[in-house]
Amino acid sequence: MTTAAPDHASTGTFRLMYRSRDRIPADRRKVELGELFLTARSKNKKRHITGALLLSEDFFVQTLEGEETIVQTLFEQIERDPRHDSVTVLESGMVDDRVFARWAMAKVSADGEPDIPLIAHTDGIAPAASRGTTPEQESVLQAMRDAARG
Ligand SMILES: Cc1cc2nc3c(=O)[nH]c(=O)nc-3n(C[C@H](O)[C@H](O)[C@H](O)COP(=O)(O)O)c2cc1C
C-alpha cells in the first residue's frame, strides 16, 4: 500500500480531551448525569462521535473522537454548558484510529479497577466485560484518570 493515502489524511479522526469542573449540585447529580448521558449518546451516534466521559468527585474529563469540524462544533456547544466550567483542553489533534470506536459515550469512573462499568455500544447499552479494554484504551483512560486527579 504505497500509493494509497492513509485513512486519516482524507477522512481523519480528530481527538479532543478536556477537563472541566462539575457544577451540578449534589442533589441533582444523578438525574442530570442520567439525562446528560442519554442526550450525549443519542446525539453522538447521529454524528459518528465516539468517546468517554470520566466522572470524578469534582471534575469531568472527556475524550471526543470523530470528524474534526463535527467534534469542534460539539465541543463549542459543550463548553457553554452551565453544568460545568473551567473547561481546559488537555489534548487535541489528529490520531490514527478511534480508541473508543464502539462507544457513543462510555461512562468511566475515576477509580476502581476495570472502569467503563457500563458500556454504551452504538447499538444499545451492555454490561462491560471485566477485561474489555484494549491497551490503547487503557493508555487514554490512564491519561484521563491522571487529569482528574489534577
Ligand atoms: C461534561 C459534559 C459532557 C457532554 N458531552 C456531550 C456529548 O458527548 N455529546 C453531546 O451531544 N452533548 C454533550 N453534552 C451536552 C451538551 O452540552 C448539550 O447540552 C447537548 O448537546 C444538548 O444540546 P441541544 O440542547 O442543542 O440538543 C455534555 C455536557 C457536559 C456538561
Side-chain angles (χ1 to χ4, degrees):
M1 295 275 185
T2 49
T3 50
D7 223 21
H8 57 273
S10 49
T11 50
T13 295
F14 181 75
R15 184 161 77 210
L16 186 148
M17 189 190 294
Y18 73 82
R19 181 178 70 175
S20 61
R21 189 174 293 274
D22 185 349
R23 304 306 298 186
I24 302 171
D27 60 341
R28 297 275 314 148
R29 202 171 146 88
K30 210 174 162 203
V31 175
E32 290 279 351
L33 289 176
E35 276 173 22
L36 192 154
F37 272 97
L38 215 64
T39 310
R41 284 168 178 163
S42 96
K43 289 187 73 174
N44 292 358
K45 200 173 154 181
K46 288 183 197 130
R47 297 164 172 166
H48 302 289
I49 287 181
T50 52
L53 176 59
L54 180 147
L55 313 168
S56 76
E57 216 166 287
D58 299 313
F59 294 109
F60 293 118
V61 183
Q62 187 172 34
T63 297
L64 298 164
E65 310 170 322
E67 197 278 320
E68 180 166 6
T69 319
I70 297 175
V71 171
Q72 293 280 21
T73 304
L74 172 63
F75 178 61
E76 281 167 26
Q77 185 178 19
I78 292 174
E79 250 189 318
R80 293 193 297 265
D81 196 309
R83 288 172 287 190
H84 63 173
D85 62 16
S86 314
V87 179
T88 311
V89 175
L90 305 170
E91 188 192 304
S92 79
M94 300 307 287
V95 290
D96 286 342
D97 289 303
R98 288 173 193 254
V99 164
F100 300 104
R102 294 175 62 208
W103 295 280
M105 190 46 61
K107 185 174 174 183
V108 178
S109 57
D111 42 23
E113 266 295 297
D115 273 356
I116 315 190
L118 251 198
I119 290 181
H121 290 279
T122 43
D123 53 358
I125 296 176
S130 58
R131 305 230 187 285
T133 49
T134 64
E136 291 76 22
Q137 281 164 1
E138 269 313 313
S139 139
V140 174
L141 288 170
Q142 193 53 51
M144 293 174 76
R145 288 189 205 105
D146 291 347
R149 278 186 213 109

